[in-house]
Amino acid sequence: MNWMGNLQQLGRSLMLPTIALPIAAVLLCLGDLPWDVIHASGFGEMLSLAGNTIFDYIPIIFAVGVALGLTESAGIAGLSAMLGYFMFTRLIEHGLGTQFQLGVSGGIMIGLLAAIIYHRCKEIKLPEYIQFFGGPRMVPLVMGLATLIVSYIMIGIGPYLETLMGKISSGLLGLGGFGAFVYGIAHRLLVPSGLHHILNNFFWFQVGVYETPSGQYAYGDLPRFFAGDPSAGMYMAGLYPIMMFALPAIAFAIIGEAREDLKPKIKATFLTAALASFLTGVTEPIEFAFLFVAPYLFVIHAILSGVAMWIAYELNIHHGFSYSAGAIDYIINLHLSHNGLLLIPIGLVYGLLYYFLFRWAIQKFRIPTPGREEGSSLEEWAGDIPYRSPLILQALGGKDNIKKIEACITRLRLTLVNDRLMDITALRHLGAAGVIRLGGGNVQVVFGTFSELIREEIMKVLRKDIHVVLFTSPMQGRMIPIEEVPDRIFASRLVGNGVAFIPEKGELVSPVAGTIMHIYPTMHALGILTDEGLEVLLHIGIDTSSLPGKCFNAVVKEGDRVEAGQLLVKFNYNKVKKFASSLATPMIITNPDIVKSWSFAPFKPVKKGQGSVMSVVLKPTKSEGGTNG
C-alpha cells in the first residue's frame, strides 16, 4: 500500500474544510462591534450567530470536505458523507446519549468512509434491470449500511475511546510550553512534505475540550478559541511572529544579498512573497527559497519557530486564527485574544534576528539563494503560464507518466508512473523552487502560488488529444528569443520560427529525434526532419559560412538517424567567437505552417541536452478530422 501517497492526499483533503472558517471569523468580528450604539444590537447578534453556526457544523464540513478532497470533488461522495454523518450522530445519540461526541474526528472518519466506498463502488455494474442503482449511485446505499455498522461498533467502544482521547489531550496540554515548543518544531519540519496539515488538524481540532455557556462542546485549540475558551490558542499564538515578521525578514535578506543586475527581478518576486506571508501566512515561497540549498538553516528555522511558541505560552498569550497566522487574521481575531498585542514586539525582535542571521549565513556559506546567480529558480512569472505548462508536463515525463495531479496553495502534488522520468533540471529552469520525492512515485513540485493555475493548464493538455513535439537544448549556453538574433532574416522569422542560443562550448547536439536531411558543405549548419514532419534548421553563429580554416566538423552524415542529445557537430569555439559577427545559434522550424502553437521556456542559461526548452503543438492532419484542436 502506498502510505505516503495516501497521507499526501489526506493532508490536502484536510485543507478543503478550512476554507469555510475565515468567513466565520469575519462574522464573529463584525458581530462584536458596538451595534447597540446605532440601535442595531439584533443585527450584531445575527452576525455572531451566523459565525458560531459555522463552528457548530465543523464536523459536517470536515466530513463533506474530506470526502470531496479524496475523490476529486465527486458530488455523490460529498452527499454520501453528509448523509452518513447525520445518521452517525443520531445513532450515537440514541445509543450513548448526547455526552459522547467525536467532533471533527468523527467527521473525518465519515469522510474517509465515504471516499473509500466511492472508490470501491463507482464502477460496479449490476444486471440491466437494476443498473440504475449501479456505479456511483450505489455509493449512498452502501454508505448507509456501512454507517449503521460503524455506529453500532462505536456505541460499544465509544466510552473507552472517549477516555483514551481525554487522556491523550490532557497529557499534551499538561506539557505546557514544552509541548507548544515541540509542536512548533514538528510543524515546520513537516512543511516540505505537506504532512503538516495532518499534524495541525490533530492539535487544532482534537486537543482539548471546552463547554460553552449554552452547553455546546468545542474540541481542539481553534474551535475552543473562537468559542471563548480562555486557555485556547497555545498552538496558534506563537506562529504569528514567524509568519508576520520572521519569514518576511528572510525575504528582505534574500533581496539584500542578490546581485545588483538581478536585484530588480528578485525584489519584485520576494516583496510579493513577503507581503503574502505577512498578510495571509502563506510561507512556502520563502521557505523553499532556502530549504533545498541550505537545509541546516531550515532546521534552525524550525527550532526558532518552536521557541516562539514557547515564549508565547510563557507570556500567557492566547491568540488564534481561522486560516493562518497572518496580519489579516491577527487583526480580525484580536478582540478574542489575551495579551495579543505582545506578539508585535516579539515579532519585531524575531524579524531583526532572522534578517541579520540569514544575511550573515548567506554571505558566510555562500548560499545560492535566488538572485545570487543567473537562472535562480524563483522568479517573476510574466503571465506565460499557459505557454509554460506544456513544457512542465513534458519535464514531468509526459502525459503517460501522470497518474494523478493535484495542487495545493504552493505545490503540485503528483503520483507518477516513474518518477525517474522527471527532468528536475528542466523543472527548475521552468520556475520550480524545488522537487520533493516521497517514494512510490509520489512527488511534490513547488511552484509557489501559481501551482493551482499550472495544474489547470496541465489538465487542459491532458484532456486533449494533441500532438506535442518537445525540443531539448542543442548546446550549453544561454537561450534567447529569435528576435534578438543580430541578423534581419532570422530575427524577422523569414526563414522560420524558433529560438536561439549563445553557446559557451564548441558542441552542437540534436534537439529532437529525426533524420539528418541536409548538411551544409562548411558544416556550420544542418537540417533535421523529425518523425512528425517538422523541418528543423540549426545554424551555428551568424556569418559563419566563410570563416577562415576548418572551424566545423560534423560527426553525422546526411540520412543518419539521430536521437535527442546526440552529438552532431564539433566546432572551434574560440575561432568562431573571434571571426563570426555573432555566436547566436538559431534553432528554427522552417515549415511553421504545420504548427498550431508554440511554447518557450524562460530565456536564461541552459545546459546541453536540457529538456523542455521549447515545444510545439502540431495542427491536426486531414485524416484526424480536426479533432485534435
Side-chain angles (χ1 to χ4, degrees), residues 150-278:
V150 169
S151 301
Y152 186 78
I153 295 173
M154 192 58 64
I155 290 172
I157 67 172
Y160 306 102
L161 184 61
E162 185 176 26
T163 301
L164 176 62
M165 291 180 64
K167 289 182 177 180
I168 293 175
S169 180
S170 299
L172 290 172
L173 292 172
L175 293 175
F178 180 73
F181 169 73
V182 173
Y183 163 75
I185 294 176
H187 170 84
R188 291 259 71 86
L189 291 179
L190 287 174
V191 165
S193 66
L195 300 182
H196 59 300
H197 300 300
I198 297 175
L199 178 75
N200 292 343
N201 183 271
F202 178 73
F203 280 90
W204 293 349
F205 296 100
Q206 315 295 326
V207 175
V209 60
Y210 172 68
E211 184 177 1
T212 66
S214 63
Q216 296 286 334
Y217 288 91
Y219 294 87
D221 207 38
L222 192 152
R224 287 192 293 114
F225 174 78
F226 284 98
D229 185 353
S231 66
M234 64 180 292
Y235 297 114
M236 295 184 286
L239 293 174
Y240 278 109
I242 302 301
M243 296 182 179
M244 287 176 59
F245 297 95
L247 283 157
I250 296 175
F252 284 107
I254 290 173
I255 293 170
E257 292 302 319
R259 278 172 26 189
E260 288 302 319
D261 57 325
L262 298 176
K263 189 166 288 187
K265 181 180 291 185
I266 295 302
K267 182 181 292 186
T269 299
F270 279 91
L271 283 179
T272 301
L275 187 62
S277 179
F278 177 76

Side-chain angles (χ1 to χ4, degrees), residues 292-587:
F292 298 101
V293 294
Y296 49 88
L297 270 183
F298 193 82
V299 174
I300 295 173
H301 166 51
I303 295 173
L304 289 174
S305 297
V307 171
M309 300 289 292
W310 202 337
I311 291 173
Y313 177 85
E314 293 297 334
L315 294 179
N316 195 28
I317 300 173
H318 299 274
H319 204 327
F321 45 78
S322 60
Y323 174 69
S324 190
I328 295 175
D329 256 303
Y330 177 83
I331 294 171
I332 289 176
N333 304 315
L334 187 60
H335 67 290
L336 296 172
S337 71
H338 178 70
N339 291 334
L341 291 176
L342 289 178
L343 293 171
I344 301 300
I346 295 173
L348 291 173
V349 172
Y350 256 78
L352 292 172
L353 172 63
Y354 266 66
Y355 179 77
F356 289 110
L357 171 64
F358 272 77
R359 287 208 70 166
W360 172 81
I362 292 170
Q363 293 175 7
K364 177 72 173 179
F365 302 107
R366 298 181 179 180
I367 301 171
T369 50
R372 298 273 289 175
E373 57 183 13
E374 193 74 48
S376 301
S377 56
L378 284 181
E379 61 169 296
E380 189 75 13
W381 285 56
D384 62 348
I385 291 174
Y387 307 102
R388 202 180 301 196
S389 296
L391 296 173
I392 293 172
L393 175 58
Q394 295 301 319
L396 291 170
K399 294 173 65 172
D400 295 336
N401 199 38
I402 306 292
K403 278 187 176 180
K404 183 181 295 184
I405 177 170
E406 297 173 333
C408 63
I409 297 172
T410 57
R411 65 190 88 183
L412 293 179
R413 297 170 180 260
L414 303 122
T415 303
L416 304 178
V417 176
N418 184 356
D419 58 11
R420 294 183 180 179
L421 296 179
M422 282 192 308
D423 188 335
I424 295 179
T425 301
L427 287 170
R428 290 184 178 276
H429 181 65
L430 291 164
V435 178
I436 306 170
R437 283 190 171 101
L438 298 172
N442 295 288
V443 174
Q444 295 181 2
V445 186
V446 182
F447 280 108
T449 51
F450 298 104
S451 298
E452 184 60 43
L453 295 176
I454 294 171
R455 177 192 174 274
E456 291 177 5
E457 292 299 326
I458 290 177
M459 289 303 296
K460 291 178 183 178
V461 177
L462 293 176
R463 294 188 194 105
K464 295 178 181 178
D465 182 19
I466 60 176
H467 200 163
V468 180
V469 181
L470 180 70
F471 289 77
T472 62
S473 174
M475 52 180 47
Q476 179 174 318
R478 180 166 55 91
M479 189 169 81
I480 63 173
I482 195 67
E483 298 88 350
E484 293 184 10
V485 175
D487 180 274
R488 185 180 61 84
I489 294 177
F490 284 118
S492 60
R493 299 189 180 92
L494 292 177
V495 180
N497 193 14
V499 294
F501 301 85
I502 307 297
E504 295 176 351
K505 293 183 179 181
E507 290 185 337
L508 178 77
V509 301
S510 179
V512 69
T515 303
I516 303 296
M517 62 179 183
H518 182 65
I519 299 178
Y520 285 74
T522 53
M523 302 183 189
H524 73 288
L526 54 80
I528 302 174
L529 178 65
T530 72
D531 298 336
E532 298 82 9
L534 292 172
E535 298 172 1
V536 183
L537 173 65
L538 297 165
H539 192 288
I540 304 172
I542 302 301
D543 297 331
T544 51
S545 60
S546 58
L547 294 186
K550 188 173 182 180
C551 294
F552 306 95
N553 178 33
V555 297
V556 293
K557 60 182 184 297
E558 292 180 6
D560 282 359
R561 172 75 185 180
V562 294
E563 300 296 330
Q566 182 176 334
L567 181 63
L568 302 178
V569 178
K570 291 184 177 181
F571 59 95
N572 190 321
Y573 175 80
N574 292 326
K575 186 177 288 189
V576 174
K577 183 177 181 180
K578 180 178 180 181
F579 293 105
S581 61
S582 172
L583 283 170
T585 300
M587 177 183 74

